[in-house]
Amino acid sequence: MSEIRLERAAYGVNGREILCPLTLTLDERRIGVVGRNGSGKSTLARLLAGLIAPTGGAVMVGGDDLFADRKAALARVGILFQNPDHQIIFPTCGEEVSFGLVQQGRNDAEAAARAAMAEIGKAHWWDRPVGTLSGGQRHLLCLVSVLAMAPEWLILDEPFAGLDIPTTRALHARLAALPQRVVMISHDPEALEGFDRVIWLEAGAVAADGPASEVLARFRAAMEGEGDDLTDLAG
Amino acid sequence: MISLTSPVETVFHRWPAGLKLALLCVAGTGLFMLASLAGQLVALALVAAFYTLPGMRFARAGLAALRPVALFAALIAAWHVATGTLAEGAVIVLRLLSAVALANLVTMTTRLADMLAVLHWLTAPLRRIGLNTRPPELAISLVIRFIPVLSEKGAALAESYRARSPRRRAGWRIAAPLAGLALDDADHVAEALRARGGLSEGARK
Amino acid sequence: MSKVSERDVVMIALFAALIAVLGLVPKLTLASGIPITAQTLGIMLCGTVLGAWRGAAAAALFCLLTLLGLPLLAGGRGGLGVLMTPWAGFFVGFPIAAFVTGLVMERMRALPVAAGAAAGSVFGGIVALYVFALAWYMLAKPAGLGEAVTVAALPFIPGDLIKAVLAALVTQALAKARPGALPSRG
Ligand SMILES: Nc1ncnc2c1ncn2[C@@H]1O[C@H](COP(=O)(O)OP(=O)(O)OP(=O)(O)O)[C@@H](O)[C@H]1O
Ligand SMILES: [Mg+2]
């Protein structure tokens, strides 16, 4: 299995630094990312998935530059966007799930997509227009689309946002059983309990990085101590 | 997306799309070279027979599809009446009707997927010389995806316009906000596309 | 022309869809009895907003899908029949019109957005399109220049002039709402 290496990888827009140069090697099975709103978590996720190129340094997955080589990227990394409406491209659920498989060059794209939907008990969604799904249901659809492609790494940007308790629980169990490596961004420290490693981002830099129990305890303590004031939100 | 393919299943539906397109080219050239009025009349009768073969329901649909040509035929006819070149005008109007009807026949009996397959086949030489035809193919499926989305947004814009304006119809006034929405969408869709392989060459088949 | 990016492809597809959707805007009928629709407005916008080659690609994509059998032309027309009338040049010429419109817009950077867009729309959406379409009419029907101008050009010119003005207004509104968002001026 491939590891993700960041070597002084930085990202800035219009001269404003969003991520400070980061040097990290990710090769644990379960990695959590926490941090306040605007701390750069989603930007890091997009960098890891090769959706954006670092403005400095390099990001390599198993030796591949995923920004340049999109074909390699498909087998390496799948990403679940924070906002499902930004992820969904096609008008019906079936097309949406099949698309990634077609892009991977699979001949059995449709059958595999149907199987993936059946696995979460949503086979009847096949012809359903995406617009008729609720927000949480859309999130689920996006997740199925990514899972169906079976990449080595899954980058999940707040996968539980907007899901109800039974769905969250079912999904949690499903994710725990996945053979893939996972990078999960979450605002809920409980969702990251038992992870091999947690990275805490603050204003685009790593505030803490280590075993889940340790980092989460410090993160919790810091968050409880924060004021009830919105003015210090990054950005 | 609703296409112009007829729901009435005809024999022509079963013909290969490439064959139909080739025959249409031949027939179109033939019609263009045929200068005799009698010949054009026979040709039109033949085309009409093709339409009645699958039954009256299909023929009526075919006739409806010809309606937009009426304006063009009338303009041509008016010119030839005005200049006193009636025989020539008749040949041209008949040719126009036959040619449009034949082309419509191909459209009505060929599914979009089959047309796309012919296109894919026709562009094979481009791929052989190393050109990537994936971007245009992807663009085609994106347009089919965007049309219903944009027209829904257009309808919503028109409604919100009406809600705050004494005018009954928004008309072209929604063009600017609609184009703006299209530009905004572009970034998100482009990123979603990248996340799943983007334009990577040869990803398909 | 640099390498095509995902964003280019998406933008081209979005504007091809925009041309189609503008064809759905209810048409008004001029005194001459000729319907005018917002569809050529869409073609002009492709050039003024996207620039020459992207605009031409969007228009070409729209034409291709129409020919393949989608009812995208105003009034729900489409399919191969569109090619068979002597007026087909007005349809086949869409990519050329968008290209010339975009070229003028790109080359006349010194002009304000509205003026550049108006000039582009007139040169591309009217002059270039009509030259091409009239030549097509004369070959396809066949006909002489006088007939072509009377039957195929004059009835449509007033509507197209209105649309060139609208294209300029819409482009200016876009440039104002999204500074720096016009690829044609990017
Ligand atoms: N395209 C962009 N242009 C300018 N600034 C941006 C852009 N994208 C993100 N930012 C800024 O970068 C910072 C980090 O954003 P990011 O989306 O990565 O945060 P996040 O940690 O995911 O936040 P959240 O918890 O709210 O999802 C924010 O301050 C944001 O305003
Ligand atoms: Mg985020």
Side-chain angles (χ1 to χ4, degrees), chain B residues 24-93:
Chain B
L24 179 64
C25 288
V26 174
T29 315
L31 280 172
F32 191 77
M33 300 203 307
L34 191 63
S36 87
L37 185 57
Q40 289 290 350
L41 273 171
V42 172
L44 186 60
L46 215 62
V47 175
F50 288 152
Y51 272 93
T52 46
L53 221 57
M56 280 331 279
R57 215 181 115 210
F58 184 80
R60 265 196 303 277
L63 206 58
L66 266 184
R67 206 174 303 135
V69 189
L71 175 71
F72 297 121
L75 270 171
I76 293 179
W79 172 266
H80 286 279
V81 170
T83 56
T85 46
L86 280 181
E88 193 193 330
V91 167
I92 291 173
V93 169

Side-chain angles (χ1 to χ4, degrees), chain B residues 2 4 21 32 68 72 76 79-80 95-96 99 103-104 107 115-116 140 143 146 172 176 180 182 184 187 194 198-199, chain C residues 6-7 10 13-14 17 25 61 65 68-69 71 77-81 84-87 139-141 147 166 170 174 178:
Chain B
I2 304 153
L4 294 167
L21 288 169
F32 191 77
F72 297 121
I76 293 179
W79 172 266
H80 286 279
R95 175 194 292 151
L96 175 70
N104 283 348
T107 296
M115 287 285 193
L116 290 174
I140 289 176
V143 183
F146 291 144
W172 66 272
D184 289 345
D187 288 326
R194 269 193 82 69
L199 309 173
Chain C
E6 280 88 7
R7 192 155 187 279
V10 170
L14 271 165
V25 171
L61 195 56
L65 279 165
L68 290 181
R77 286 179 305 129
L80 294 161
M84 297 295 179
T85 77
W87 279 264
L139 281 176
K141 183 168 171 271
E147 177 189 347
L166 291 184
V170 170
L174 264 180
R178 288 172 183 70

Side-chain angles (χ1 to χ4, degrees), chain A residues 13 24 27 32-33 53 86 93-94 104 114 116 142 153 197 215 223 234:
Chain A
V13 189
L24 297 167
D27 63 356
V33 178
H86 291 174
C93 297
Q104 283 184 317
R114 282 186 189 274
C142 291
W153 282 91
R197 176 179 178 186
V215 176
M223 291 305 110

Side-chain angles (χ1 to χ4, degrees), chain C residues 144-155:
Chain C
L145 184 61
E147 177 189 347
V149 170
T150 319
V151 178
L154 289 181

